[in-house]
Amino acid sequence: MKIETTDYQIAPLLEQKKTIDIIRQAEAQLAELAGRPITLIAYSKTEGEDDL
């Protein structure tokens, strides 16, 4: 899958341990339900863009 947009960028979460922990927990729970690995990708709205 290829997603191209200028409205969003990968969310900068390097120093947000609690946020990353929540995402990892959600991935684990979803993987258990789906029966296969799940990866969640965090995006943030690009600054200066109008709301959709």
Side-chain angles (χ1 to χ4, degrees):
M1 174 191 291
K2 186 174 185 180
I3 299 172
E4 294 185 36
T5 179
T6 58
D7 294 334
Y8 292 87
Q9 63 186 6
I10 299 291
L13 301 176
L14 292 175
E15 296 188 25
Q16 296 186 32
K17 183 181 179 343
K18 186 173 181 177
T19 302
I20 293 169
D21 288 344
I22 291 169
I23 291 170
R24 287 184 177 152
Q25 290 171 12
E27 286 176 332
Q29 291 173 349
L30 290 168
E32 186 175 327
L33 291 171
R36 63 184 181 274
I38 300 289
T39 300
L40 300 177
I41 302 170
Y43 289 97
S44 61
K45 188 110 173 110
T46 303
E47 290 185 31
E49 293 292 327
D50 293 333
D51 290 335
L52 298 176

